[in-house]
Amino acid sequence: TAVVSNDGPLFTMGLNIYGQLGLGHTETTFYPNKVLYDEDNNPLGKVTKVGCNVTGTFIIVEGGNLYSCGSGDIGHGEIDLIKLPKKIYDQR
């Protein structure tokens, strides 16, 4: 589960075996946890939209940058787990 509060912070909770909660680990959590930083240790910023699937979470922040975390086809062309939000760079 991912929830964006009115003033922009992102909170996640639930099953996390793929790192899809963006918390830097793969432990399941039963209470909301604030997602603070991306994988480069930069503050995530104000989140405007969030979407989830079984293995990944997709995050749009103010200004339009898109991030994802988890595993599978989440925009990075990687198979490894991405446990913190990672910016998606589109070549188009």
Side-chain angles (χ1 to χ4, degrees), residues 4-23:
V4 180
S5 67
N6 288 336
D7 54 347
L10 172 65
F11 295 87
T12 59
M13 66 193 122
L15 188 65
N16 192 33
I17 59 175
Y18 303 105
Q20 67 266 42
L21 297 183
L23 301 173

Side-chain angles (χ1 to χ4, degrees), residues 44-72:
L44 192 56
K46 183 176 181 179
V47 175
T48 59
K49 294 185 184 213
V50 64
C52 305
N53 65 24
V54 174
T55 63
T57 300
F58 300 87
I59 304 157
I60 299 176
V61 298
E62 197 169 59
N65 288 325
L66 174 63
Y67 294 81
S68 68
C69 49
S71 181

